[in-house]
Amino acid sequence: MAAAIVMELWEGFLSYIEAFEEITSGASDRFARGDWQGMQAKGIERLSLYKRKVGQATRRVRRIMKEDHASYEHWISARKQFGALAASHSAFEIAETFYNSVCRKVHAPIGADPILMFVLKEERPDPYQSPVPIFHTYQGHKSLEALMRQILHDYPFKVPFEDVERDIKLIADRIQEEVWPLHRPSSSTRVEMLKSVFYRNKGAYLVGRIHINGQVIPLVVPLLKGKGGLYADTVITDPDQVSLIFSFTRSYFQVQVAGPSEMVDFLRSIMPLKPYADLYNSIGFNKHGKTELYRDFVRHLEQSEDQFDFAPGTKGLVMLVFTLPSYHTVFKLIRDKAHPPKKTDNSMVRRKYRLVARHDRVGRMADTHEFEYFAFPKARFSPDLLKALQEETPSLVEIKEDTVILRHLYTERKMTPLNLFLKRATQAEIEEVVDEYGQTIRQLASVNIFPGDMLLKNFGLTRHQRVVFYDYDEIGFLTEYNFREMPKAQSPEEVYAAGPWFAVGPKDVFPEEFRHFLIGFSGMEEIFVKLHADLFTVEFWLEMQARQVRGEIMDIFPYREKKRFIHQPSAD
């Protein structure tokens, strides 16, 4: 029976990997054709693939086991056999996570069971080693222009460069300006470039590293497709800026991956502060990213002593949010009953979170992971938090002698709430963050997202000083809303009416009213109006809706505008 379970699981995993690779391999053709809608559609299709394949494998396992599907004896043996089979596969860690997913479905409801599943590792396993290197190696004794000419030549794009010599010089000059003054090259200097190209939206990213004087420097070249062909938009050599490209606030790349652990190991060499979970997410294996997050969290619990408590910021009306002060993640539970005036329920909130998970987050919405039957040590909860969980989310809480089990929750990266940051910010910081705040609203609109509740407390600040939206209970597609001018009062009764004296539909929005709640701090209004006054006009929102209806994919770059090479043609 155990062998039969393993066979079904292994075939299900191989089917998943084959379908994953098939979707991903088409990215180069979509980029060459400029099929930006297709690029996004295939990204969404790939996101739903894992759940579908796990569901298929679960049904097959249940059929062969019949009433005996929950037998621990069979599953303990299956785990051992599957582990031996997975060990030699290039995506061994993805295989183990796939096994865990099916096991949990078969035994539902169940949390992470270390006896039945691959839960924790005593130490991080060595990455898979491909028989052929996953990167090209270039010796650094050549001139920078000769080096970049060879690198660009080795990528077989189906579209020619618009002016490759111009781009070679631009890239070489930027490296000469940013890297060489700090790190003098020598005969031992070498460059390693991943053979796989990272595709996302309208961009194709060449990702590599420079080994120089015992240090590792990132080398990332974003390419765009213009009417005349390909062109390099910039070159990134700063780890923090590369981290923004691989941010938890962005959609996942479509990149061909022979061995996920090997690629993640390479990426972490150029982004040493980036969690493993984020890197697995970024290359499309977000379910294993969830596994990595859980493992990292359990290890952190063993090495810390602080207590879980309410997350900093204004308490939400829909979600109860708590955190461990020493950890980088918050835990969000949907209240059994939303506080007035909110009228959302559990199913509505879950739909909103699914919307965000499948949508282009454009660097302005935090990625989340959804967990069920998550176990915490009871002793680590503050009394007030434990009481609030029992009173406000009783349907989600199960308390045992020394354990608190939460039946459903979301995890999200911890950020500084924007309203708290502005209370202690300098004038210069206020000016920068207020601009970021407006850019966030503007860029969300560019991907057909209307936040709904745009109060400062629903936005956070990352370590890179990026403003990110993280409260999704009122989020919706921009095209679903009706943006209106405020009617002019025609009589004293209308002027002094306690409430609206005109009909207002549930999806009606009055942009000129935004200034009453978008601007909440002294000195903020003047800055916001100077930079983003058009957000208070109906015309802006109607134009953004029209662009969405036309199917336009707008250019939003995952690096600072000032980093872009000047005098480049607009993208196709």
Side-chain angles (χ1 to χ4, degrees), residues 153-426:
H153 176 268
D154 285 344
Y155 286 94
F157 286 105
K158 298 176 182 179
V159 178
F161 277 82
E162 182 180 80
D163 186 342
V164 70
E165 289 300 319
R166 175 200 62 192
D167 291 350
I168 287 168
K169 187 174 190 316
L170 286 168
I171 296 169
D173 287 350
R174 181 69 60 83
I175 295 172
Q176 182 77 48
E177 174 188 334
E178 294 184 348
V179 180
W180 270 202
L182 302 175
H183 308 278
R184 185 179 298 274
S186 66
S187 59
S188 63
T189 298
R190 70 183 189 278
V191 176
E192 295 168 344
M193 299 295 296
L194 287 169
K195 296 175 182 177
S196 296
V197 178
F198 291 67
Y199 294 97
R200 184 174 62 202
N201 292 338
K202 293 183 176 182
Y205 298 79
L206 312 183
V207 178
R209 59 194 178 192
I210 305 171
H211 291 271
I212 183 168
N213 298 331
Q215 297 190 54
V216 177
I217 309 298
L219 179 59
V220 177
V221 181
L223 303 176
L224 299 179
K225 178 178 175 289
K227 294 179 180 179
L230 299 184
Y231 64 91
D233 197 46
T234 186
V235 60
I236 309 292
T237 60
D238 175 25
D240 281 343
Q241 294 299 312
V242 175
S243 183
L244 287 174
I245 295 173
F246 286 81
S247 172
F248 65 92
T249 64
R250 296 196 177 274
S251 301
Y252 308 142
F253 284 105
Q254 295 178 44
V255 53
Q256 292 187 276
V257 183
S261 59
E262 191 173 18
M263 179 168 281
V264 164
D265 193 56
F266 185 102
L267 293 173
R268 204 157 193 269
S269 73
I270 61 174
M271 294 174 281
L273 298 180
K274 183 72 72 176
Y276 284 101
D278 286 4
L279 293 174
Y280 275 102
N281 291 342
S282 71
I283 61 175
F285 294 107
N286 59 309
K287 294 302 180 182
H288 186 70
K290 177 179 171 179
T291 299
E292 291 288 343
L293 173 63
Y294 179 79
R295 289 172 177 169
D296 182 71
F297 173 68
V298 172
R299 286 192 290 267
H300 182 84
L301 277 182
E302 294 172 349
Q303 300 165 6
S304 61
E305 297 180 351
D306 52 337
Q307 283 194 317
F308 294 102
D309 210 338
F310 297 102
T314 306
K315 291 185 179 180
L317 302 177
V318 175
M319 308 290 282
L320 189 155
V321 186
F322 68 91
T323 189
L324 195 66
S326 61
Y327 199 56
H328 56 59
T329 297
V330 296
F331 303 87
K332 307 177 74 169
L333 288 81
I334 306 171
R335 285 190 167 89
D336 281 22
K337 186 176 181 180
H339 293 177
K342 299 281 189 177
K343 297 179 181 179
T344 55
D345 59 25
N346 189 292
S347 62
M348 291 173 62
V349 176
R350 289 194 186 203
R351 286 198 298 272
K352 302 292 187 181
Y353 274 77
R354 281 196 294 270
L355 183 159
V356 174
R358 293 165 59 86
H359 202 76
D360 182 4
R361 293 187 295 280
V362 77
R364 298 299 185 176
M365 292 189 289
D367 197 5
T368 61
H369 281 298
E370 187 174 6
F371 285 89
E372 293 180 336
Y373 293 89
F374 201 123
F376 297 83
K378 181 180 176 182
R380 299 291 289 271
F381 281 83
S382 70
D384 288 345
L385 175 58
L386 197 57
K387 180 181 178 183
L389 288 170
Q390 292 173 291
E391 292 178 350
E392 300 189 40
T393 60
S395 68
L396 303 178
V397 180
E398 181 181 343
I399 299 180
K400 297 187 175 180
E401 185 176 347
D402 58 357
T403 305
V404 175
I405 297 175
L406 299 181
R407 297 188 182 97
H408 182 266
L409 61 81
Y410 297 96
T411 61
E412 196 172 88
R413 181 61 54 81
K414 184 187 294 181
M415 290 173 272
T416 303
L418 194 54
N419 59 324
L420 297 187
F421 176 83
L422 289 170
K423 286 182 179 179
R424 54 178 174 78
T426 64

Side-chain angles (χ1 to χ4, degrees), residues 28-47:
S28 60
D29 284 338
R30 291 187 284 275
F31 179 76
R33 296 194 306 268
D35 181 11
W36 314 131
Q37 287 85 2
M39 193 77 81
Q40 291 191 343
K42 285 296 181 180
I44 294 171
E45 179 184 341
R46 197 180 66 174
L47 277 171

Side-chain angles (χ1 to χ4, degrees), residues 455-474:
L455 294 173
L456 294 173
K457 68 182 181 67
N458 297 325
F459 294 78
L461 206 64
T462 70
R463 68 183 179 93
H464 297 294
Q465 302 296 290
R466 293 271 296 178
V467 172
V468 174
F469 183 62
Y470 57 55
D471 193 320
Y472 306 142
D473 58 88
E474 290 194 19

Side-chain angles (χ1 to χ4, degrees), residues 13-210:
F13 161 68
L14 293 179
S15 175
Y16 163 67
I17 287 295
E18 181 181 2
F20 183 98
E21 291 175 348
E22 182 181 357
I23 292 173
T24 303
S25 65
S28 60
D29 284 338
R30 291 187 284 275
F31 179 76
R33 296 194 306 268
D35 181 11
W36 314 131
Q37 287 85 2
M39 193 77 81
Q40 291 191 343
K42 285 296 181 180
I44 294 171
E45 179 184 341
R46 197 180 66 174
L47 277 171
S48 63
L49 177 67
Y50 186 88
K51 183 177 181 180
R52 179 161 56 88
K53 293 296 184 180
V54 164
Q56 292 170 355
T58 301
R59 289 190 292 274
R60 289 196 298 268
V61 167
R62 283 177 170 159
R63 277 198 298 269
I64 65 172
M65 298 195 72
K66 299 180 181 177
E67 293 80 12
D68 198 27
H69 64 266
S71 169
Y72 268 46
E73 179 184 351
H74 294 318
W75 282 91
I76 291 171
S77 178
R79 178 190 184 280
K80 183 177 180 180
Q81 293 180 42
F82 190 92
L85 196 58
S88 60
H89 196 279
S90 61
F92 65 91
E93 72 276 47
I94 313 302
E96 292 178 351
T97 289
F98 188 90
Y99 173 99
N100 289 350
S101 297
V102 176
C103 184
R104 291 190 68 230
K105 291 287 185 184
V106 170
H107 290 268
I110 187 176
D113 188 326
I115 297 176
L116 301 184
M117 306 176 199
F118 302 94
V119 178
L120 298 176
K121 304 282 187 180
E122 291 185 4
E123 57 184 33
R124 186 161 193 87
D126 293 332
Y128 173 82
Q129 292 295 318
S130 299
V132 177
I134 63 172
F135 51 81
H136 292 297
T137 300
Y138 307 88
Q139 298 306 316
H141 61 272
K142 298 182 178 181
S143 71
L144 278 173
E145 291 193 15
L147 178 65
M148 290 313 306
R149 184 175 293 107
Q150 185 178 356
I151 288 173
L152 294 183
H153 176 268
D154 285 344
Y155 286 94
F157 286 105
K158 298 176 182 179
V159 178
F161 277 82
E162 182 180 80
D163 186 342
V164 70
E165 289 300 319
R166 175 200 62 192
D167 291 350
I168 287 168
K169 187 174 190 316
L170 286 168
I171 296 169
D173 287 350
R174 181 69 60 83
I175 295 172
Q176 182 77 48
E177 174 188 334
E178 294 184 348
V179 180
W180 270 202
L182 302 175
H183 308 278
R184 185 179 298 274
S186 66
S187 59
S188 63
T189 298
R190 70 183 189 278
V191 176
E192 295 168 344
M193 299 295 296
L194 287 169
K195 296 175 182 177
S196 296
V197 178
F198 291 67
Y199 294 97
R200 184 174 62 202
N201 292 338
K202 293 183 176 182
Y205 298 79
L206 312 183
V207 178
R209 59 194 178 192
I210 305 171

